[in-house]
Amino acid sequence: AFSPFSFYNLSLQFSFIVVFALIFYMQNKTYDNRLLEFFSVIIIAFFSGIPISIYHFSAIYPKALIANIFAVPFFTILIIPI
């Protein structure tokens, strides 16, 4: 069931903003380098989530950027094909 208060859900806000930023970025990219694309997706996702992180937690966690460099390939290569 739809709840009008769903917009205040933190996970919805993160998902909406990050996916919107990634779609906007992918439509405007001008290169075809897979490695550059890999790192740029991580960086775009991190920086697009910063405003929500600051609003809700009053902090920025730079360790998340480093953790995503390892987590994204793990889930892409090992978990998703299963």
Side-chain angles (χ1 to χ4, degrees):
F2 175 74
S3 171
F5 298 107
S6 295
F7 184 73
Y8 296 110
N9 189 347
L10 180 61
S11 61
L12 176 77
Q13 291 176 3
F14 267 117
S15 297
F16 184 81
I17 294 296
V18 170
V19 168
F20 177 78
L22 288 173
I23 290 172
F24 181 76
Y25 167 74
M26 288 304 210
Q27 289 178 347
N28 296 322
K29 73 177 185 127
T30 58
Y31 54 85
D32 196 26
N33 184 346
R34 302 285 272 172
L35 188 62
L36 184 61
E37 185 175 308
F38 168 74
F39 284 110
S40 60
V41 165
I42 294 171
I43 291 169
I44 294 295
F46 175 75
F47 283 110
S48 63
I50 284 179
I52 297 170
S53 179
I54 290 173
Y55 179 77
H56 287 285
F57 304 118
S58 302
I60 299 173
Y61 300 102
K63 293 178 186 177
L65 184 61
I66 297 167
N68 280 334
I69 292 173
F70 297 105
V72 169
F74 176 75
F75 281 101
T76 302
I77 296 170
L78 298 176
I79 303 297
I80 291 178
I82 294 174

